[in-house]
């Protein structure tokens, strides 16, 4: 029997879907899973369906944990959607207790290593960019959440923090969903900046809202996954609070040093 992991919050970011999936795996550790991000997902790409007959967004980027195709209903024991249980994770609420915080990172790292496997065409992009831009360099990673996020920070707060570390690093790898924020860092740090070639919001409209941008839904999802995996390979992460992307990065690399900038 299989658990059908089917998070259903259509206009959420890619890592909101992924975190709900990881959370289900955390709560049902001994089960087999089939992961389904359905056609209601804002990342569903009609062209992928028409050209490759793929109607499951998870299958754009990841292997299935246990079975390649959706099992028949008779083999599905339960459908798991949204689980409201942030205390099983390692969000900022846990940071006062470093033992619990690291325990959560370790637990989610184990889940990721066991069940999340990038498809070859995605992992090749991660590896190629790493070899060309990160190898033999000391990299400061920067995650700048913008657009609709309630906890987005003024850029000067990032600059003040970066300046504490910048002399120790060869390059800054900057990631963001908002073009203005990347341009700001580029203007300040010039040729120290590395960025992954991706589409970013130019008007503060969230990338993952279905009608916000005339851009490939497939590539919006792929790009943020590639950036997250690259962020896990830096030597230090600077980020803001309450972002599923940098939560994932800190779980993917459970030993990654980080500096969270609070509001």
């Amino acid at each position: 029997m299989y658990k059908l992991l089917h998070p259903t919050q259509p206009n959420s970011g890619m890592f909101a879907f992924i975190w709900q999936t990881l959370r289900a795996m955390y709560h049902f550790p001994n089960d087999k899973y089939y992961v389904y991000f359905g056609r209601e997902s804002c990342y569903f790409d009609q062209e992928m369906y028409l050209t490759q007959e793929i109607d499951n967004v998870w299958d754009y980027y990841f292997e299935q944990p246990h079975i390649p195709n959706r099992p028949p209903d008779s083999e599905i024991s339960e459908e798991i959607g949204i689980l409201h249980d942030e205390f099983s994770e390692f969000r900022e609420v846990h940071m006062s207790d470093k033992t619990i915080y690291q325990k959560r990172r370790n637990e989610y790292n184990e889940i990721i290593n066991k069940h999340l496997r990038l498809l070859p065409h995605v992992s090749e992009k991660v590896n190629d960019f790493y070899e060309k831009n990160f190898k033999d360099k000391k990299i400061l990673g920067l995650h700048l959440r913008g657009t609709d996020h309630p906890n987005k920070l003024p850029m000067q707060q990032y600059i003040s923090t970066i300046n504490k570390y910048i002399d120790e690093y060869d390059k800054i790898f900057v990631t963001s969903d908002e073009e203005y924020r990347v341009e700001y860092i580029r203007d300040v740090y010039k040729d120290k900046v590395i960025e992954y070639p991706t589409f970013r919001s130019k008007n503060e409209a969230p990338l993952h809202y279905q009608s916000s941008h005339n851009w490939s839904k497939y590539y919006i999802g792929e790009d943020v996954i590639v950036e997250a995996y690259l962020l896990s390979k830096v030597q230090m992460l600077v980020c803001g609070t309450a972002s599923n992307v940098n939560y994932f990065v800190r779980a993917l690399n459970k030993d990654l040093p980080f500096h969270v900038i609070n509001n």
Side-chain angles (χ1 to χ4, degrees):
M1 299 296 286
Y2 297 87
K3 288 280 195 299
L4 178 67
L5 307 187
H6 181 201
T8 53
Q9 63 278 60
N11 280 324
S12 293
M14 175 58 68
F15 280 93
F17 286 100
I18 290 173
W19 260 121
Q20 287 294 338
T21 301
L22 295 175
R23 189 179 289 167
M25 292 172 174
Y26 178 91
H27 282 284
F28 302 97
N30 299 316
D31 287 88
K32 294 182 179 179
Y33 318 111
Y34 180 79
V35 185
Y36 181 59
F37 299 173
R39 295 191 188 192
E40 74 280 359
S41 164
C42 57
Y43 295 93
F44 177 75
D45 192 307
Q46 187 68 21
E47 185 173 347
M48 290 290 287
Y49 179 68
L50 292 175
T51 59
Q52 301 186 42
E53 298 185 351
I54 302 175
D55 67 353
N56 181 356
V57 173
W58 177 270
D59 293 339
Y60 297 170
Y61 315 111
F62 296 100
E63 296 179 16
Q64 285 289 340
H66 292 113
I67 187 171
N69 299 309
R70 179 168 174 155
D73 290 345
S74 60
E75 294 183 24
I76 295 174
S77 62
E78 185 178 2
E79 180 173 328
I80 310 296
I82 298 175
L83 295 174
H84 296 285
D85 179 25
E86 67 179 30
F87 289 94
S88 68
E89 297 178 18
F90 57 90
R91 297 169 182 260
E92 279 74 11
V93 69
H94 298 117
M95 289 179 65
S96 59
D97 189 326
K98 293 183 179 180
T99 300
I100 293 177
Y101 189 79
Q102 190 60 49
K103 180 175 182 289
R104 293 288 184 266
R105 289 182 79 178
N106 295 345
E107 289 169 337
Y108 277 92
N109 175 263
E110 184 177 344
I111 292 169
I112 291 169
N113 288 338
K114 185 175 181 180
H115 294 305
L116 268 67
R117 293 181 290 275
L118 291 174
L119 291 174
H121 70 278
V122 182
S123 62
E124 283 175 12
K125 291 187 176 184
V126 175
N127 295 334
D128 287 349
F129 191 91
Y130 176 89
E131 289 294 318
K132 292 175 183 176
N133 298 279
F134 285 19
K135 190 175 182 179
D136 299 324
K137 297 183 180 71
K138 192 174 181 183
I139 308 293
L140 179 68
L142 181 60
H143 180 245
L144 308 165
R145 184 65 165 88
T147 63
D148 64 330
H149 200 280
N151 297 103
K152 64 183 179 181
L153 299 167
M155 289 304 298
Q156 190 54 47
Q157 287 186 245
Y158 287 105
I159 299 300
S160 297
T161 301
I162 293 167
N163 286 342
K164 296 176 183 178
Y165 300 105
I166 189 63
D167 291 340
E168 303 172 30
Y169 293 87
D170 300 312
K171 297 288 184 178
I172 304 170
F173 176 57
V174 56
T175 65
S176 182
D177 54 348
E178 191 174 328
E179 182 62 28
Y180 152 75
R181 292 175 177 267
V182 175
E183 290 177 353
Y184 195 107
I185 298 298
R186 197 187 301 129
D187 288 344
V188 174
Y189 297 105
K190 311 297 182 185
D191 60 359
K192 275 247 184 188
V193 173
I194 302 170
E195 57 189 279
Y196 186 74
T198 182
F199 177 77
R200 301 182 184 91
S201 176
K202 295 175 172 58
N203 57 11
E204 296 191 351
L207 290 175
H208 49 271
Y209 282 15
Q210 291 179 344
S211 59
S212 294
H213 307 280
N214 182 24
W215 191 248
S216 164
K217 294 178 173 60
Y218 168 84
Y219 281 111
I220 289 174
E222 182 189 86
D223 287 351
V224 70
I225 291 170
V226 170
E227 286 186 318
Y229 274 79
L230 287 168
L231 277 175
S232 76
K233 298 177 182 294
V234 303
Q235 282 71 50
M236 171 77 173
L237 174 67
V238 172
C239 58
T241 61
S243 167
N244 288 309
V245 172
N246 65 61
Y247 292 149
F248 179 83
V249 170
R250 285 179 271 166
L252 182 58
N253 182 349
K254 62 184 177 62
D255 300 314
L256 177 64
F258 64 91
H259 183 131
V260 175
I261 305 172
N262 294 302
N263 286 330

